[in-house]
Amino acid sequence: MTQDELKKAVARAALAYLVDGEIVGVGTGSTANCFIDELARIQHRIRGAVASSEASRQRLEGHGIPVFDLDKVDAIRVYVDGADEINAALQMIKGGGGALTREKIVAAVAAKFVCIADGSKLVAVLGQFPLPVEVIPMALGHVRRQLAAIGGGTPVLREGFVTDNGNLIVDVKGLSITDATALEARINQIVGVVSNGLFAQRPADVCLLATADGVQTLTAD
């Protein structure tokens, strides 16, 4: 199976976690796009969706799926999103598409976080994928210096990119993250950081992993 076929297979599998008549949280990225396309086939079963980015909102609305602002929604039963990396504890690096802050907000509200990914995203140690950090523009220099001082990684500005929130992304390359929860908290304490792409304090509840042998269901060790 090609990577696109794997993404479509795992997106279809995620439909089993939907709750009829409820609003579903939807992530951002190529695998989330596959889920949105699958969601369009059964949209009569749900009230609508909350999108974690403007790109996802546009794709959902393009399929005729109602999109609700999160502050108008009391609860989300299920949030479905991909990952750039995920480990056995279902901790993730996310934000390759730059939507990490809104993804974290929707994930925090959701009762269940279902991560959908192809097998290449499962790693023993997080950090080979650069860690995105969303930064308020005026704090860029300060944040880059503080990130460099943490050690072990090189902070690089994502050129020509602005988040949906009007901020910048610094990608920290070359990390080997052995304590994701501690590093997530440490980076978030840097003044000028909006959020970072470690989803360790709020990991996934279940991961649907697409492999050549089919979709595997992983839960945290």
Side-chain angles (χ1 to χ4, degrees):
M1 296 177 71
T2 67
Q3 191 171 41
D4 283 346
E5 288 171 336
L6 292 172
K7 290 177 180 180
K8 290 176 182 177
V10 80
R12 285 192 296 272
L15 296 178
Y17 288 82
L18 299 184
V19 179
D20 287 355
E22 295 286 342
I23 294 171
V24 58
V26 178
T28 299
S30 58
T31 309
N33 283 342
C34 291
F35 175 69
I36 292 171
D37 296 343
E38 292 295 327
L39 195 62
R41 298 192 301 105
I42 54 87
Q43 60 181 282
H44 59 281
R45 287 176 45 195
I46 61 171
R47 283 177 55 203
V50 168
S52 64
S53 67
E54 292 306 312
S56 290
R57 171 187 287 273
Q58 292 170 10
R59 196 177 189 97
L60 287 159
E61 290 177 340
H63 283 299
I65 299 171
V67 179
F68 296 85
D69 290 336
L70 182 60
D71 63 353
K72 302 296 193 298
V73 174
D74 293 329
I76 296 174
R77 298 285 293 276
V78 179
Y79 174 54
V80 180
D81 199 359
D84 296 304
E85 285 186 343
I86 187 165
N87 64 17
L90 304 193
Q91 299 170 328
M92 295 161 284
I93 287 181
K94 293 175 49 56
L100 58 147
T101 299
R102 295 192 183 194
E103 289 171 343
K104 275 197 172 180
I105 293 169
V106 181
V109 174
K112 176 173 284 188
F113 184 169
V114 178
C115 176
I116 53 176
D118 65 81
S120 68
K121 303 300 192 296
L122 182 63
V123 299
V125 179
L126 298 172
Q128 184 172 346
F129 189 91
L131 175 64
V133 181
E134 183 165 351
V135 181
I136 294 173
M138 70 173 292
L140 177 62
H142 169 70
V143 171
R144 289 179 71 172
R145 290 189 293 273
Q146 293 297 308
L147 289 172
I150 289 174
T154 303
V156 178
L157 176 65
R158 191 179 298 184
E159 296 285 354
F161 184 85
V162 177
T163 72
D164 287 343
N165 306 315
N167 297 315
L168 304 175
I169 294 287
V170 172
D171 293 303
V172 187
K173 301 182 177 182
L175 291 171
S176 179
I177 303 170
T178 56
D179 189 341
T181 303
L183 184 61
E184 180 181 1
R186 182 176 179 183
I187 293 175
N188 283 344
Q189 289 171 354
I190 298 172
V191 176
V193 167
V194 178
S195 187
N196 72 81
L198 277 170
F199 282 61
Q201 296 178 5
R202 202 304 181 217
D205 296 297
V206 61
C207 176
L208 302 178
L209 199 70
T211 72
D213 298 323
V215 177
Q216 300 179 6
T217 301
L218 306 181
T219 55
D221 287 352

